[in-house]
Amino acid sequence: MKEIRMVDLATQYQRIKTEVDAAIAEVLTSTQFIKGPQVKKFEDNLAKYLGAKHVIGCANGTDALQIAMMALDLQPGDEVITTSFTFLATVEVIALLKLKPVLVDVTADTFTMDIESLKKAITPKTKAIVPVHLFGQCADMEAIMDITKQYNLYVIEDNAQAIGADYTYANGTKQKAGVIGHIGTTSFFPSKNLGCYGDGGAVFTNDDALAERIRMVANHGQSKQYVHDIIGVNSRLDTIQAAVLDVKLQYLDEYAAKRLAVADVYDAAFANIAGVTTPARAHNSTHVFHQYTLQLDGMDRDIVRQKLQEKGVPSMIYYPIPVHKQKAYYNSMYTNEMFRSTNKLCETVLSLPIHTEMDAEQQTYIIESVKQSLK
Ligand SMILES: *Cc1c(COP(=O)(O)O)cnc(C)c1O
């Protein structure tokens, strides 16, 4: 049996090696490492895939969030609401820009922004909401957009984990994750669903004026060369990474289908096991399963992980400490009552290997190993 990994980028690369190597070689030959034609080509192809009017590449997913917030021209002290159960980058950029992060709870089943908690957190200082499409499915965007309209707020979707997921509105209309709010952001970190071979990220929007500001912010605030109208940053998507991504974009739907098939097998295997909850699927979103995350109740998770490790099955805890309990982001206004789901999830979640290259033999072995480790 092939070694089991959380993600198997090595096998995936072997399957697309000819195309990827040729794409990289083309960049090497041209030496247009910065702003080569592959960057625009990939931005255009991703825009087409997402149904977004504008896609602007940048250096990573954290920068994408920062650039999005800088483009909105928020003022110090403005409040930005996001979830406490997320990768920390989301909150970090809010604080870095001297905005005030306001953390809310997630739902107990889908792990995305809890609408009741969101409503309670809105104040006259609230300017933006950052829902995170955690683990591969969309937050309840229709409810979030309705609230946004009511209070005149911006929405930035942190779509680092759900690229390719489809959101369905109550009236049946569908949109891709990341193009529903005013701005969407993503990461092309190698292990993400659309990952490059280094760092990369992108910002999406359907708003022409915002797109122009986003491009300026990402490029030193320049309106034209050596003319700086606003404060910006230097954040670019490398040409080599864009060339790799343009190859991999063609496989994104196939990759999502493979992940979904793995999740379906896990769901069936772990249904009806006492103390084990399989991940819920939102009624209004497809799931691209960036992570497959079980909840383990009434057992020692560390011992389960240890036993799995001994059998050669890796597992991960995303995320062990919620943002509201991180020293850097602690705020005395937060109570445990406000984060009931988040606190519980941090103590019970366990993510299993899921990727595009999982074979039946590996998955059967993982399932048997999990069942034995629970005892
Ligand atoms: C990965 C990730 C990011 C940050 O992306 P980087 O490319 O690593 O900077 C931000 N938000 C979420 C939810 C992520 O999963």
Side-chain angles (χ1 to χ4, degrees), residues 59-65 85-92 131-135 158-162 185-192 198-201 290 319:
N60 57 66
T62 309
D63 273 10
L65 285 159
F85 190 58
T86 182
F87 179 58
L88 200 116
T90 325
V91 189
E92 182 179 48
V132 182
H133 301 321
L134 202 74
F135 299 160
D158 182 345
N159 195 29
Q161 300 190 3
T185 66
T186 201
S187 163
F188 304 123
F189 187 84
S191 63
K192 299 281 157 88
D199 272 309
H290 177 58
Y319 298 92

Side-chain angles (χ1 to χ4, degrees), residues 23 37 60 77 92 96 104 133 138 141 171 173 197 204 207-208 230 233 247 268 280 320 366 368:
N60 57 66
E92 182 179 48
L96 206 58
V104 298
H133 301 321
C138 293
M141 287 307 293
N171 70 7
T173 314
Y197 294 168
F204 337 123
D207 183 313
D208 296 342
I230 54 178
V233 295
V247 172
I366 295 168
E368 284 316 308

Side-chain angles (χ1 to χ4, degrees), residues 265-266 269-270 362-372:
V265 172
Y266 277 148
F270 300 129
Q362 287 178 310
Q363 199 173 8
T364 305
Y365 181 79
I366 295 168
I367 289 165
E368 284 316 308
S369 300
V370 170
K371 285 180 175 170
Q372 287 162 15

Side-chain angles (χ1 to χ4, degrees), residues 25 40 255 300:
K40 169 112 184 18
Y255 288 164
D300 189 326

Side-chain angles (χ1 to χ4, degrees), residues 135-359:
F135 299 160
Q137 62 186 345
C138 293
D140 189 353
M141 287 307 293
E142 192 159 10
I144 292 169
M145 294 314 288
D146 284 348
I147 290 167
T148 309
K149 280 173 207 136
Q150 193 182 336
Y151 294 95
N152 199 23
L153 310 172
Y154 287 112
V155 172
I156 300 170
E157 297 172 70
D158 182 345
N159 195 29
Q161 300 190 3
I163 196 154
D166 286 307
Y167 183 81
T168 308
Y169 291 83
N171 70 7
T173 314
K174 285 184 198 296
Q175 257 184 312
K176 286 278 179 206
V179 294
I180 301 163
H182 302 89
I183 305 180
T185 66
T186 201
S187 163
F188 304 123
F189 187 84
S191 63
K192 299 281 157 88
N193 287 34
L194 179 59
C196 58
Y197 294 168
D199 272 309
V203 185
F204 337 123
T205 186
N206 286 324
D207 183 313
D208 296 342
L210 268 178
E212 200 183 317
R213 274 187 73 86
I214 290 164
R215 281 202 188 277
M216 280 169 68
V217 169
N219 186 25
H220 301 291
Q222 289 187 133
S223 55
K224 50 185 181 226
Q225 202 171 20
Y226 306 125
V227 179
H228 304 265
D229 294 345
I230 54 178
I231 295 173
V233 295
N234 174 27
S235 187
R236 296 183 282 244
L237 180 62
D238 281 0
T239 311
I240 287 178
Q241 301 307 339
V244 171
L245 287 164
D246 208 36
V247 172
K248 291 186 75 179
L249 178 59
Q250 302 169 68
Y251 296 97
L252 185 58
D253 285 341
E254 189 187 315
Y255 288 164
K258 185 67 217 267
R259 286 171 177 274
L260 182 61
V262 172
D264 285 343
V265 172
Y266 277 148
D267 275 0
F270 300 129
N272 311 315
I273 298 181
V276 177
T277 309
T278 55
R281 308 221 183 154
H283 70 279
N284 45 14
S285 173
T286 60
H287 204 320
V288 295
F289 281 100
H290 177 58
Q291 297 298 340
Y292 185 88
T293 304
L294 294 173
Q295 291 172 67
L296 305 181
D297 285 290
M299 43 189 119
D300 189 326
R301 181 175 56 173
D302 291 338
I303 291 176
V304 175
R305 284 194 78 199
Q306 179 64 38
K307 286 185 184 168
L308 284 172
Q309 190 63 47
E310 284 160 13
K311 295 176 201 294
V313 176
S315 62
M316 290 293 286
I317 298 171
Y318 301 118
Y319 298 92
I321 307 169
V323 182
H324 69 275
K325 288 187 180 169
Q326 300 285 354
K327 194 169 157 197
Y329 299 95
Y330 174 78
N331 184 319
S332 60
M333 73 178 227
Y334 295 137
T335 64
N336 282 334
E337 189 62 23
M338 291 163 74
F339 297 102
R340 270 206 271 186
S341 299
T342 296
N343 289 339
K344 175 156 187 271
L345 290 170
C346 288
E347 283 165 17
T348 57
V349 287
L350 187 72
S351 294
L352 298 181
I354 189 164
H355 54 73
T356 59
E357 312 305 319
M358 178 87 71
D359 64 37

